[in-house]
Amino acid sequence: MNLLITGGAGFIGSNFVDYILKHHPDHRVLVLDRLTYAGGLDNLTEADGNPRYRFIQGDICDRGIDDELVADSDLVINFAAETHVDRSIQAPDVFLRTNILGAQSLLEATKKHKKRFIQISTDEVYGSREEGGFTESDPLNPSSPYAASKAAGDLLTLSYHKTYGLPVMIIRCSNNYGPRQYPEKLLPLFIVKALSGERLPLYGDGLNRREWTYVEDNCRAIELILQKGEDGQIYNISSGIELTNIQIIQEILKLLGKSEDLIEFVPDRPGHDRRYSLSTEKMAGLGWNPLYNLQRGLKMTVSWYLENREWWEKRL
Ligand SMILES: NC(=O)c1ccc[n+]([C@@H]2O[C@H](COP(=O)([O-])OP(=O)(O)OC[C@H]3O[C@@H](n4cnc5c(N)ncnc54)[C@H](O)[C@@H]3O)[C@@H](O)[C@H]2O)c1
């Protein structure tokens, strides 16, 4: 099997590349990544030198590249995206370009060459809810330009299935955490700020709730969906571990032996969703169970940032 992994130089994509090369000696991996600020070849050092791995720098919005690379692959897994909500509030254009037009360009190439397409998406497309978890058939109600652009990517993906019969699946993940997450996202930002002795800017009252999945569990779930999922279907992935932002920060500070006095409440992000939660019954039906509890996942994550100061210092 030849996998085209777009966005494979980013956080989840690079973890997925390592996972596939390690667990599937019969698979070849081709990474297409534009190497924006969020991507780095230093995320792919484990894959480097492996004869089953190849890297191409390029933009998923480039029809020519998509056409050429999809022709050589059996399956496209689209991790490539602009992903930071705060940036989408400041400058939404690039989010629409990559997350919508880029996805569509890949879909066109996949249709032309009669391949299979997997769209990696997010719990944020459903919007906020006070209680219970969203199922895959719930309507989309995105709040930020980021979430709206991902929702559009999902709808386009489904439209290619319904209109052209393209084999597609959509995977909606909850918050991931683990090694190599860019230090603008909540967890790595607070880890590196705490390590640098800086204040930790926490939005609003800190009581927004999120579900946290360790990235390796997320990769295992994607693998299972590739093996057992059905075309035209959407799958939610989440550990179900739900915490307020302040709770997860307290856990991190405990692990680092730092004082909670570092936390500084700052004005809330506009349109900040209060709570995300996913029903994972469908994944349970495929036989998926997360292996990492919060303690173990956070320990692995914090240790990685402690041991890889050079990686994050050059990203500050
Ligand atoms: N990180 C999370 O917690 C999370 C949660 C739910 C869903 N997701 C989704 O998972 C996917 C991966 O997220 P991530 O956190 O690894 O993101 P990331 O920001 O770490 O990486 C994104 C990668 O995409 C690349 N990229 C951006 N624009 C591109 C373009 N036009 N052409 C080619 N490559 C481009 C970047 O260079 C980078 O390597 C995204 O689709 C995101 O929406 C992430």
Side-chain angles (χ1 to χ4, degrees):
M1 181 92 104
N2 291 317
L3 306 186
L4 174 59
I5 300 184
T6 62
F11 164 49
I12 306 180
S14 66
N15 278 282
F16 189 71
V17 169
D18 288 347
Y19 185 89
I20 289 293
L21 289 172
K22 184 169 167 197
H23 295 278
H24 294 272
D26 51 336
H27 286 4
R28 293 178 172 276
V29 167
L30 174 56
V31 171
L32 170 64
D33 197 296
R34 186 180 174 193
L35 296 181
T36 67
Y37 77 95
L41 287 178
D42 58 353
N43 287 338
L44 289 162
T45 47
E46 208 174 303
D48 212 16
N50 188 320
R52 293 183 289 115
Y53 157 78
R54 202 153 61 95
F55 178 84
I56 309 274
Q57 183 171 3
D59 191 327
I60 59 166
C61 301
D62 180 337
R63 286 281 168 96
I65 288 189
D66 292 345
D67 192 55
E68 187 186 324
L69 301 188
V70 171
D72 280 346
S73 313
D74 301 305
L75 177 70
V76 182
I77 311 176
N78 182 29
F79 291 93
E82 288 292 334
T83 61
H84 192 44
V85 174
D86 287 351
R87 287 180 190 253
S88 83
I89 294 168
Q90 297 306 322
D93 295 26
V94 69
F95 284 74
L96 274 60
R97 182 183 178 277
T98 292
N99 300 357
I100 305 175
L101 298 178
Q104 195 243 341
S105 179
L106 288 170
L107 282 161
E108 271 299 303
T110 312
K111 170 165 79 81
K112 178 175 168 189
H113 296 290
K114 300 188 170 46
K115 301 293 167 72
R116 199 162 173 229
F117 185 80
I118 314 297
Q119 166 74 351
I120 302 299
S121 185
T122 166
D123 54 2
E124 301 199 25
V125 297
Y126 296 114
S128 194
R129 75 186 280 159
E130 289 294 311
E131 283 175 6
F134 287 107
T135 65
E136 288 83 351
S137 55
D138 277 322
L140 305 187
N141 187 22
S143 298
S144 67
Y146 161 67
S149 67
K150 293 295 292 183
D154 287 13
L155 294 175
L156 274 169
T157 303
L158 285 176
S159 80
Y160 271 67
H161 177 70
K162 290 180 188 159
T163 308
Y164 307 112
L166 191 74
V168 306
M169 291 193 279
I170 293 172
I171 301 179
R172 296 189 178 137
C173 317
S174 74
N175 274 19
N176 271 229
Y177 67 103
R180 303 198 289 263
Q181 187 168 30
Y182 196 85
E184 64 186 354
K185 305 281 165 50
L186 183 81
L187 241 65
L189 177 73
F190 281 23
I191 292 171
V192 306
K193 279 199 180 289
L195 287 174
S196 313
E198 290 177 33
R199 307 301 301 268
L200 314 184
L202 189 55
Y203 280 138
D205 58 8
L207 297 179
N208 301 65
R209 306 181 77 87
R210 300 290 183 261
E211 292 179 344
W212 295 91
T213 307
Y214 189 65
V215 64
E216 191 185 315
D217 273 335
N218 200 68
C219 293
R220 284 180 43 253
I222 297 172
E223 173 194 45
L224 187 65
I225 294 166
L226 295 183
Q227 291 165 342
K228 293 195 179 169
E230 277 176 40
D231 289 329
Q233 293 293 309
I234 301 167
Y235 295 92
N236 289 340
I237 303 177
S238 174
S239 65
I241 299 169
E242 180 179 334
L243 285 96
T244 62
N245 286 346
I246 197 155
Q247 282 171 328
I248 198 149
I249 297 319
Q250 285 167 335
E251 292 300 321
I252 286 172
L253 289 171
K254 248 188 263 163
L255 278 171
L256 291 171
K258 302 277 183 182
S259 161
E260 287 184 22
D261 294 344
L262 285 178
I263 298 173
E264 178 181 30
F265 291 94
V266 297
D268 210 353
R269 163 200 282 166
H272 201 177
D273 283 330
R274 198 64 176 163
R275 177 175 176 268
Y276 296 135
S277 180
L278 294 176
S279 157
T280 51
E281 256 177 60
K282 206 162 162 181
M283 277 306 289
L286 296 186
W288 185 70
N289 265 316
L291 295 180
Y292 285 81
N293 61 24
L294 187 74
Q295 257 34 55
R296 184 167 166 228
L298 281 185
K299 244 191 209 161
M300 300 279 289
T301 307
V302 166
S303 304
W304 190 86
Y305 283 89
L306 281 169
E307 286 159 18
N308 291 276
R309 189 174 265 272
E310 204 184 308
W311 181 95
W312 55 261
E313 275 183 344
K314 66 182 177 207
R315 285 165 166 84
L316 293 181

